[in-house]
Amino acid sequence: MDRKQLLDTLTQITLENKTFAEALLLKSETELNHSPSDDTWSILECIEHLNLYGNFYLPEIASCIAKADESNRNLFKSGFLGNYFVKLIQPKPRLNKMKTATKMNPKGCRLTKNCLQVFIRQQNQLLDLLQKAHTTDLTQLKTKISISRFLRLRLGDTLQFVVYHNQRHMKQVQDILDANKKNTLEIRRNSKA
């Protein structure tokens, strides 16, 4: 896979995620904290989940890039495990449910719009890291992962995982907005009947 093409794709997705988060700042905290059902997250819980992952991965990626020598290797080859995680997390038309690690689960936390601002800052950091990655070897450099201190992924796989994970949960946020809108319309229709 071409390094520039990969990083440009990840940058575009990150810009879209950031723009969407900025638009969410216009919503009320009540709407942002509303969950369509007891077993689903609210919008802010989705965002806080991403912040928790960002707190782990962004410093890890930054450290990896800071230690790297400049590389003119323009191709990236995904690793077996990294490729598996990326395919697992990539958004699909109908999201498959996945179990979240307890330390990354914000369910029931009291959240404010501040977590959106944290997410937007993290997206700016990620954009900066994606830019810096244009001169690094995405195949040779490796990062730690959040689920095991013994496993490492290639930097290119880690970057894909983080960006696609963000995109996946932003799709979940859109689904929550759509469900809330549908419920509001049904309530209005029933009250007029």
Side-chain angles (χ1 to χ4, degrees), residues 94-144:
R94 188 159 192 263
L95 292 178
N96 52 321
K97 289 206 173 202
M98 299 176 83
K99 185 106 170 106
T100 301
T102 305
K103 67 182 180 179
M104 300 295 189
N105 189 343
K107 186 71 177 160
C109 294
R110 184 155 171 76
L111 300 168
T112 66
K113 285 186 181 182
N114 181 58
C115 72
L116 277 169
Q117 292 161 337
V118 169
F119 179 75
I120 292 164
R121 277 195 304 272
Q122 286 187 356
Q123 296 315 286
N124 285 328
Q125 291 172 336
L126 182 54
L127 288 167
D128 183 53
L129 292 170
L130 288 165
Q131 185 59 41
K132 290 176 180 174
H134 278 274
T135 59
T136 62
D137 187 332
L138 301 180
T139 304
Q140 292 299 318
L141 296 171
K142 297 200 174 175
T143 66
K144 295 176 195 167

Side-chain angles (χ1 to χ4, degrees), residues 124-178:
N124 285 328
Q125 291 172 336
L126 182 54
L127 288 167
D128 183 53
L129 292 170
L130 288 165
Q131 185 59 41
K132 290 176 180 174
H134 278 274
T135 59
T136 62
D137 187 332
L138 301 180
T139 304
Q140 292 299 318
L141 296 171
K142 297 200 174 175
T143 66
K144 295 176 195 167
I145 63 172
S146 63
I147 59 170
S148 169
R149 55 191 184 130
F150 302 109
L151 296 176
R152 292 182 175 270
L153 293 183
R154 293 174 181 182
L155 177 59
D157 288 326
T158 302
L159 288 168
Q160 288 183 89
F161 177 84
V162 170
V163 171
Y164 290 129
H165 182 246
N166 288 344
Q167 185 185 39
R168 173 190 180 84
H169 285 289
M170 295 309 271
K171 181 183 181 331
Q172 183 181 7
V173 166
Q174 184 61 58
D175 291 347
I176 294 167
L177 286 171
D178 293 345

Side-chain angles (χ1 to χ4, degrees), residues 4 14 53 70 75 77 80 91 98 117 130 167:
K4 181 182 182 328
T14 302
Y53 270 92
E70 203 167 301
L75 294 179
K77 183 168 174 32
F80 174 76
M98 299 176 83
Q117 292 161 337
L130 288 165
Q167 185 185 39

Side-chain angles (χ1 to χ4, degrees), residues 39-63:
D39 64 337
T40 59
W41 286 343
S42 69
I43 292 169
L44 289 182
E45 287 169 334
C46 290
I47 300 297
E48 184 62 14
H49 170 71
L50 296 177
N51 291 343
L52 294 170
Y53 270 92
N55 290 341
F56 176 85
Y57 281 105
L58 293 176
E60 183 63 25
I61 293 166
S63 173

